[in-house]
Protein backbone atom coordinates (compact mmCIF):
# COMPACT_ATOMS: atom_id res chain seq x y z
CA UNK A 1 0.00 0.00 0.00
CA UNK A 2 1.25 3.48 -0.89
CA UNK A 3 1.88 5.69 2.11
CA UNK A 4 0.45 9.17 1.63
CA UNK A 5 0.73 12.39 3.59
CA UNK A 6 -2.44 14.10 4.79
CA UNK A 7 -3.02 17.32 6.68
CA UNK A 8 -6.01 17.57 9.01
CA UNK A 9 -7.19 20.70 10.82
CA UNK A 10 -9.21 20.52 14.03
CA UNK A 11 -7.33 17.35 14.83
CA UNK A 12 -7.48 17.52 18.63
CA UNK A 13 -11.06 16.29 19.02
CA UNK A 14 -14.20 14.97 17.39
CA UNK A 15 -14.21 14.17 13.68
CA UNK A 16 -10.66 15.43 13.18
CA UNK A 17 -9.25 13.16 15.87
CA UNK A 18 -11.09 10.17 14.41
CA UNK A 19 -9.86 10.99 10.92
CA UNK A 20 -6.26 11.10 12.14
CA UNK A 21 -6.73 7.70 13.79
CA UNK A 22 -8.22 6.16 10.65
CA UNK A 23 -5.53 7.57 8.35
CA UNK A 24 -2.78 6.27 10.66
CA UNK A 25 -4.43 2.85 10.76
CA UNK A 26 -4.36 2.89 6.96
CA UNK A 27 -0.59 3.44 7.09
CA UNK A 28 -0.43 7.10 6.13
CA UNK A 29 1.48 10.03 7.61
CA UNK A 30 -0.70 12.61 9.31
CA UNK A 31 0.17 16.24 9.98
CA UNK A 32 -2.28 17.71 12.47
CA UNK A 33 -3.26 21.34 12.93
CA UNK A 34 -5.22 22.72 15.86
CA UNK A 35 -5.32 25.53 18.39
CA UNK A 36 -5.15 22.81 21.08
CA UNK A 37 -1.97 20.75 21.20
CA UNK A 38 -2.16 16.99 20.71
CA UNK A 39 0.10 14.19 19.56
CA UNK A 40 -2.54 11.47 19.24
CA UNK A 41 -2.24 9.57 15.94
CA UNK A 42 0.02 12.22 14.44
CA UNK A 43 3.45 12.23 12.84
CA UNK A 44 3.73 15.96 13.34
CA UNK A 45 1.66 18.63 15.09
CA UNK A 46 1.59 22.30 14.05
CA UNK A 47 -0.25 24.93 16.07
CA UNK A 48 -2.88 26.80 14.06
CA UNK A 49 -5.30 29.56 15.00
CA UNK A 50 -7.57 30.22 12.02
CA UNK A 51 -8.66 33.47 13.67
CA UNK A 52 -5.13 34.87 13.30
CA UNK A 53 -3.63 35.58 9.84
CA UNK A 54 -0.11 35.48 11.29
CA UNK A 55 -0.75 32.01 12.73
CA UNK A 56 -2.10 30.82 9.36
CA UNK A 57 1.05 32.01 7.58
CA UNK A 58 3.35 30.55 10.23
CA UNK A 59 1.59 27.17 10.22
CA UNK A 60 1.76 26.89 6.44
CA UNK A 61 5.45 27.81 6.50
CA UNK A 62 6.21 24.96 8.92
CA UNK A 63 5.23 22.26 6.45
CA UNK A 64 8.40 20.54 5.30
CA UNK A 65 7.17 18.52 2.35
CA UNK A 66 4.38 17.85 -0.15
CA UNK A 67 0.88 16.71 0.75
CA UNK A 68 -1.52 14.26 -0.85
CA UNK A 69 -4.57 15.79 0.78
CA UNK A 70 -6.00 18.32 3.20
CA UNK A 71 -9.11 18.01 5.34
CA UNK A 72 -10.42 21.36 6.60
CA UNK A 73 -12.26 20.12 9.65
CA UNK A 74 -11.59 22.91 12.19
CA UNK A 75 -14.55 25.09 13.04
CA UNK A 76 -16.65 26.73 15.73
CA UNK A 77 -20.27 25.94 16.64
CA UNK A 78 -23.13 28.47 16.67
CA UNK A 79 -22.37 30.02 20.05
CA UNK A 80 -23.53 33.51 21.07
CA UNK A 81 -20.70 35.97 21.47
CA UNK A 82 -18.46 34.31 18.87
CA UNK A 83 -20.05 35.82 15.77
CA UNK A 84 -16.92 37.45 14.33
CA UNK A 85 -14.74 34.48 15.18
CA UNK A 86 -17.19 32.04 13.58
CA UNK A 87 -17.04 33.95 10.29
CA UNK A 88 -13.26 34.14 10.41
CA UNK A 89 -12.48 30.59 11.51
CA UNK A 90 -15.16 28.65 9.66
CA UNK A 91 -14.74 30.35 6.31
CA UNK A 92 -12.31 33.25 5.85
CA UNK A 93 -9.47 31.62 7.80
CA UNK A 94 -10.14 28.22 6.29
CA UNK A 95 -10.04 29.70 2.80
CA UNK A 96 -6.79 31.56 3.55
CA UNK A 97 -5.14 28.45 5.01
CA UNK A 98 -6.16 26.35 2.02
CA UNK A 99 -4.78 28.92 -0.41
CA UNK A 100 -1.50 28.85 1.51
CA UNK A 101 -1.28 25.06 1.16
CA UNK A 102 -2.43 24.53 -2.43
CA UNK A 103 1.10 24.68 -3.83
CA UNK A 104 2.09 21.94 -1.38
CA UNK A 105 -0.43 19.47 -2.81
CA UNK A 106 0.87 16.84 -5.19
CA UNK A 107 -0.92 16.25 -8.52
CA UNK A 108 -3.97 14.12 -7.78
CA UNK A 109 -4.34 15.72 -4.36
CA UNK A 110 -7.69 16.07 -2.62
CA UNK A 111 -9.13 18.82 -0.42
CA UNK A 112 -12.08 17.89 1.81
CA UNK A 113 -13.99 20.77 3.39
CA UNK A 114 -16.29 20.09 6.33
CA UNK A 115 -19.61 21.81 5.68
CA UNK A 116 -22.91 20.91 7.39
CA UNK A 117 -26.60 20.24 6.90
CA UNK A 118 -26.90 23.78 8.23
CA UNK A 119 -25.43 25.04 4.96
CA UNK A 120 -28.04 23.56 2.66
CA UNK A 121 -29.80 26.88 2.01
CA UNK A 122 -26.86 28.13 -0.06
CA UNK A 123 -28.98 28.64 -3.16
CA UNK A 124 -31.27 31.08 -1.39
CA UNK A 125 -28.40 32.88 0.33
CA UNK A 126 -25.78 33.07 -2.41
CA UNK A 127 -25.82 36.88 -2.46
CA UNK A 128 -25.02 37.09 1.25
CA UNK A 129 -22.28 34.48 0.82
CA UNK A 130 -20.70 36.65 -1.87
CA UNK A 131 -20.71 39.65 0.45
CA UNK A 132 -18.94 37.61 3.11
CA UNK A 133 -16.45 36.21 0.61
CA UNK A 134 -15.50 39.74 -0.46
CA UNK A 135 -14.09 40.40 3.01
CA UNK A 136 -10.44 39.80 3.82
CA UNK A 137 -8.56 39.36 7.06
CA UNK A 138 -8.58 42.68 8.88
CA UNK A 139 -11.87 43.83 7.41
CA UNK A 140 -14.45 44.91 9.94
CA UNK A 141 -16.45 41.75 10.53
CA UNK A 142 -18.34 43.49 13.31
CA UNK A 143 -19.69 46.01 10.80
CA UNK A 144 -20.63 43.21 8.42
CA UNK A 145 -22.56 41.43 11.18
CA UNK A 146 -24.39 44.63 12.06
CA UNK A 147 -25.19 45.47 8.45
CA UNK A 148 -26.47 41.97 7.76
CA UNK A 149 -28.27 41.83 11.14
CA UNK A 150 -27.17 38.26 11.84
CA UNK A 151 -26.74 36.32 15.07
CA UNK A 152 -24.35 33.47 15.90
CA UNK A 153 -26.62 30.81 14.42
CA UNK A 154 -26.93 32.68 11.13
CA UNK A 155 -23.16 33.29 11.14
CA UNK A 156 -22.61 29.56 11.46
CA UNK A 157 -25.08 28.67 8.72
CA UNK A 158 -23.61 31.35 6.47
CA UNK A 159 -20.09 29.97 6.83
CA UNK A 160 -21.24 26.50 5.89
CA UNK A 161 -23.11 27.87 2.88
CA UNK A 162 -19.93 29.72 1.97
CA UNK A 163 -17.80 26.58 2.27
CA UNK A 164 -20.10 24.75 -0.16
CA UNK A 165 -20.23 27.61 -2.69
CA UNK A 166 -16.48 28.25 -2.47
CA UNK A 167 -15.84 24.57 -3.18
CA UNK A 168 -18.10 24.70 -6.22
CA UNK A 169 -16.37 27.89 -7.41
CA UNK A 170 -12.87 26.38 -7.05
CA UNK A 171 -13.57 23.09 -8.78
CA UNK A 172 -12.86 23.93 -12.42
CA UNK A 173 -9.75 25.97 -11.66
CA UNK A 174 -8.33 23.15 -9.56
CA UNK A 175 -8.80 20.67 -12.40
CA UNK A 176 -6.05 22.49 -14.28
CA UNK A 177 -3.70 21.71 -11.39
CA UNK A 178 -4.86 18.08 -11.15
CA UNK A 179 -6.41 18.81 -7.76
CA UNK A 180 -9.95 18.35 -6.54
CA UNK A 181 -12.14 19.71 -3.77
CA UNK A 182 -15.34 18.39 -2.19
CA UNK A 183 -17.50 19.14 0.83
CA UNK A 184 -19.04 16.86 3.43
CA UNK A 185 -22.26 17.93 5.14
CA UNK A 186 -22.78 16.01 8.39
CA UNK A 187 -25.95 16.34 10.44
CA UNK A 188 -26.56 15.53 14.09
CA UNK A 189 -23.13 14.19 15.08
CA UNK A 190 -22.44 13.26 18.69
CA UNK A 191 -19.33 15.33 19.46
CA UNK A 192 -18.41 17.59 22.34
CA UNK A 193 -20.20 20.53 20.70
CA UNK A 194 -23.48 18.72 19.98
CA UNK A 195 -25.15 20.68 22.79
CA UNK A 196 -24.39 23.93 20.99
CA UNK A 197 -26.41 22.73 18.01
CA UNK A 198 -29.28 21.62 20.22
CA UNK A 199 -29.41 25.08 21.77
CA UNK A 200 -29.06 26.88 18.44
CA UNK A 201 -31.54 24.84 16.39
CA UNK A 202 -33.93 23.80 19.12
CA UNK A 203 -36.36 20.91 18.95
CA UNK A 204 -35.61 20.28 15.26
CA UNK A 205 -32.29 18.68 16.19
CA UNK A 206 -33.80 16.25 18.67
CA UNK A 207 -36.66 15.48 16.28
CA UNK A 208 -34.28 14.66 13.44
CA UNK A 209 -32.10 12.50 15.66
CA UNK A 210 -35.16 10.64 16.91
CA UNK A 211 -36.36 9.97 13.36
CA UNK A 212 -32.89 8.81 12.31
CA UNK A 213 -32.72 6.49 15.32
CA UNK A 214 -29.60 8.07 16.82
CA UNK A 215 -27.04 10.79 16.30
CA UNK A 216 -24.12 10.15 14.00
CA UNK A 217 -20.74 9.09 15.35
CA UNK A 218 -17.55 11.08 14.63
CA UNK A 219 -15.89 7.99 13.20
CA UNK A 220 -18.70 7.56 10.68
CA UNK A 221 -18.01 11.02 9.26
CA UNK A 222 -14.25 10.45 9.42
CA UNK A 223 -14.50 7.18 7.46
CA UNK A 224 -16.12 9.00 4.56
CA UNK A 225 -13.63 11.87 4.82
CA UNK A 226 -10.78 9.35 4.55
CA UNK A 227 -12.35 7.88 1.41
CA UNK A 228 -12.87 11.29 -0.23
CA UNK A 229 -9.25 12.17 0.53
CA UNK A 230 -8.07 8.97 -1.13
CA UNK A 231 -7.37 8.40 -4.85
CA UNK A 232 -10.14 5.78 -4.86
CA UNK A 233 -12.64 8.67 -4.96
CA UNK A 234 -10.86 10.49 -7.78
CA UNK A 235 -14.01 11.20 -9.85
CA UNK A 236 -15.65 13.09 -6.99
CA UNK A 237 -15.03 16.73 -7.82
CA UNK A 238 -17.02 19.71 -6.56
CA UNK A 239 -19.58 17.52 -4.80
CA UNK A 240 -21.36 18.07 -1.51
CA UNK A 241 -21.95 14.78 0.27
CA UNK A 242 -24.67 14.59 2.93
CA UNK A 243 -23.77 12.34 5.87
CA UNK A 244 -26.83 12.65 8.05
CA UNK A 245 -28.41 9.26 8.64
CA UNK A 246 -31.29 10.13 6.29
CA UNK A 247 -32.27 13.40 7.99
CA UNK A 248 -32.10 15.40 4.78
CA UNK A 249 -34.14 12.81 2.91
CA UNK A 250 -37.04 12.61 5.30
CA UNK A 251 -37.13 16.39 5.76
CA UNK A 252 -37.29 16.75 1.97
CA UNK A 253 -39.97 14.08 1.75
CA UNK A 254 -42.02 16.11 4.24
CA UNK A 255 -41.48 19.39 2.38
CA UNK A 256 -42.41 17.93 -1.00
CA UNK A 257 -45.19 15.72 0.37
CA UNK A 258 -43.63 12.64 -1.19
CA UNK A 259 -45.11 10.05 1.12
CA UNK A 260 -47.97 9.14 -1.19
CA UNK A 261 -45.59 8.04 -3.96
CA UNK A 262 -44.37 5.12 -1.86
Amino acid sequence: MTQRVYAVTGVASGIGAELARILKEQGHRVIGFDIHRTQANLDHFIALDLNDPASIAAAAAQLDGPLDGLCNNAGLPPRAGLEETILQVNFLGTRAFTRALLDRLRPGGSVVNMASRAGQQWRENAAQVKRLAALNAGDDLRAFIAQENIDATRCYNLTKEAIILWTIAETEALLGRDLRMNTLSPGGVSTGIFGDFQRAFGAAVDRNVQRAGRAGKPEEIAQIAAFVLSPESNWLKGSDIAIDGGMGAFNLADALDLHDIR
Side-chain angles (χ1 to χ4, degrees), residues 68 73 104 114 124 142 145 160 188 231 253:
D68 295 289
N73 171 73
R104 304 294 187 98
M114 201 62 66
E124 295 86 342
R142 186 175 304 172
I145 291 165
K160 297 307 182 180

Side-chain angles (χ1 to χ4, degrees), residues 105-122:
L105 286 167
R106 292 187 178 102
S110 173
V111 178
V112 175
N113 297 321
M114 201 62 66
S116 170
R117 261 180 53 78
Q120 296 308 299
Q121 300 301 312
W122 54 264

Side-chain angles (χ1 to χ4, degrees), residues 92-178:
L92 296 173
T94 293
R95 182 179 63 175
F97 183 64
T98 304
R99 287 172 172 171
L101 264 58
L102 280 180
D103 287 342
R104 304 294 187 98
L105 286 167
R106 292 187 178 102
S110 173
V111 178
V112 175
N113 297 321
M114 201 62 66
S116 170
R117 261 180 53 78
Q120 296 308 299
Q121 300 301 312
W122 54 264
R123 292 174 181 83
E124 295 86 342
N125 297 308
Q128 190 178 47
V129 168
K130 291 177 183 178
R131 292 193 292 273
L132 171 64
L135 301 176
N136 294 299
D139 278 329
D140 191 353
L141 288 175
R142 186 175 304 172
F144 173 82
I145 291 165
Q147 290 162 5
E148 301 289 332
N149 191 27
I150 52 179
D151 61 9
T153 299
R154 178 61 200 144
C155 285
Y156 178 83
N157 293 357
L158 176 60
T159 61
K160 297 307 182 180
E161 293 162 358
I163 285 289
I164 293 170
L165 282 174
W166 168 56
T167 298
I168 292 169
E170 289 283 8
T171 295
E172 188 170 8
L174 290 178
L175 291 181
R177 305 174 66 168
D178 193 17

